[in-house]
Amino acid sequence: MGESLVGIIGWPVSHSQSPKMHSYAFSKLGLFDWRYLFLPVDIAPKHRLQEAVFGLRALNFVGANITVPHKEAVLPLMDSLSDEALCIGAVNTIHIKDGQLLGHNTDAPGFVNDLLEQGIDISAMKVLLLGAGGSARAITYGLLAHGCKSITILNRTEEKALVIAKAMSQRFSESLVKTAALDFSNIKNNAHADLIINTTSIGLTDLSAMPWDPQIHFSSSQVVYDIIYGKKTKFLQHASLSQARAIDGLGMLIHQGALAFSIWTGLKAPVQIMKDCFKV
Ligand code: ATR
């Protein structure tokens, strides 16, 4: 038997913490023949993604993570899709089994598992979601699948929020997803939500920017979650200053990664080991 290969396809991927996290778990669990590789695949030319994904199969990979900007484009390349990946319309984990490409989405349960672990009961919460990209779709699915009844999505391009609401209403008939444009008055009107989640990329590269108006403050009973990890965004700093509970995206990263690890290896998701990886 040779090595068992997995990796992360994205563009860029050099900043990703997934290789470090998975390699740490492999070594702690004695999986010494497993390797997790950086697999940068550009968006142009367009056929590169297909070549790369089919190349994984040719090279006997066990699977891969897929990240920005390929999570949606990779979907039609799969031989089959999990329920989650199909409804979300995005794949973040591929498992290659008997020559078949199986597409999963562990972002949705990963996000929910992080909330549950933090003792946050989403079933009774009013949620405000900022952004309507692939991550927002996964998070909306995860929240609805765990009994959340009220989600408002605000996005710069409102039509994209509407597309998510429509897709979810087919799957979760009694849940309520409202949409509006991401502007001052809509932020103000929805600022009282119990849980406010930023999934926009604002704050990712420009540390002085946030998808929120600085005049609107939070209260100590609110939870503010930013899926960006590895830095405290201006949005989370603003939330902390208002005494709200501020949570960054590291927990989501760990939980989605632990679930992918479990899909590939068949072992229990190594959540604690992956957490420890960021403490050393
Ligand atoms: P991901 O897969 O991580 O969700 P994405 O699909 O590229 O990434 O989505 C990025 C999100 O950030 C989108 O909601 C995008 O808004 P649009 O749908 O209008 O493009 C949002 N976003 C990025 N830059 C933004 C900006 N400067 N102002 C407002 N929203 C922004």
Side-chain angles (χ1 to χ4, degrees):
M1 269 292 276
E3 292 179 329
S4 298
L5 300 174
V6 288
I8 181 161
I9 290 183
W11 187 267
V13 281
S14 57
H15 66 283
S16 171
Q17 295 292 314
S18 291
K20 166 178 148 178
M21 183 170 79
H22 284 276
S23 301
Y24 185 80
F26 290 147
S27 86
K28 286 286 165 191
L29 290 167
L31 302 177
F32 299 119
D33 54 351
W34 283 71
R35 301 278 174 272
Y36 190 108
L37 309 174
F38 286 97
L39 303 169
V41 177
D42 203 344
I43 43 169
K46 239 181 147 187
H47 53 86
R48 285 285 180 266
L49 180 64
Q50 175 166 332
E51 289 171 356
V53 169
F54 291 172
L56 295 175
R57 174 165 46 198
L59 293 165
N60 280 318
F61 272 61
V62 177
N65 282 133
I66 306 294
T67 189
V68 176
H70 298 308
K71 285 185 193 181
E72 283 145 33
V74 87
L75 194 123
L77 305 175
M78 299 296 105
D79 294 309
S80 67
L81 293 167
S82 71
D83 246 18
E84 275 120 338
L86 182 65
C87 185
I88 294 164
V91 165
N92 83 321
T93 302
I94 301 175
H95 185 204
I96 306 170
K97 214 173 144 201
D98 305 324
Q100 297 287 297
L101 297 164
L102 316 176
H104 297 263
N105 191 305
T106 67
D107 284 333
F111 174 77
V112 170
N113 286 350
D114 186 41
L115 289 184
L116 295 177
E117 194 186 76
Q118 310 236 22
I120 296 165
D121 173 14
I122 48 186
S123 62
M125 283 184 152
K126 266 191 173 9
V127 177
L128 176 61
L129 197 62
L130 310 174
S135 306
R137 268 185 95 109
I139 287 173
T140 306
Y141 178 95
L143 289 169
L144 294 173
H146 279 78
C148 180
K149 295 280 182 286
S150 166
I151 304 177
T152 300
I153 306 176
L154 302 184
N155 196 45
R156 176 177 62 179
T157 317
E158 195 189 339
E159 302 80 68
K160 280 170 72 181
L162 212 55
V163 169
I164 299 181
K166 277 204 181 126
M168 297 302 157
S169 69
Q170 285 165 8
R171 174 75 169 72
F172 303 98
S173 50
E174 85 285 21
S175 296
L176 196 61
V177 181
K178 291 188 210 149
T179 64
L182 179 61
D183 61 25
F184 179 78
S185 77
N186 288 327
I187 289 176
K188 195 158 180 277
N189 291 339
N190 291 283
H192 58 279
D194 305 300
L195 169 63
I196 297 133
I197 307 160
N198 175 39
T199 72
T200 75
S201 41
I202 302 171
L204 188 61
T205 46
D206 180 358
L207 292 180
S208 68
M210 65 173 173
W212 196 258
D213 193 285
Q215 294 167 45
I216 303 173
H217 296 280
F218 300 105
S219 74
S220 58
S221 63
Q222 289 177 294
V223 180
V224 178
Y225 197 111
D226 196 325
I227 66 164
I228 295 170
Y229 65 85
K231 61 184 91 173
K232 190 152 186 181
T233 58
K234 183 142 187 255
F235 185 50
L236 282 193
Q237 288 172 28
H238 181 65
S240 296
L241 279 174
S242 317
Q243 313 298 324
R245 184 167 171 198
I247 304 174
D248 74 12
L250 185 62
M252 180 182 180
L253 174 85
I254 289 168
H255 280 281
Q256 66 74 31
L259 292 168
F261 186 102
S262 180
I263 288 170
W264 298 325
T265 62
L267 300 174
K268 190 170 159 273
V271 174
Q272 189 54 50
I273 290 173
M274 288 184 165
K275 274 190 200 163
D276 293 345
C277 160
F278 293 97
K279 287 186 195 137
V280 291

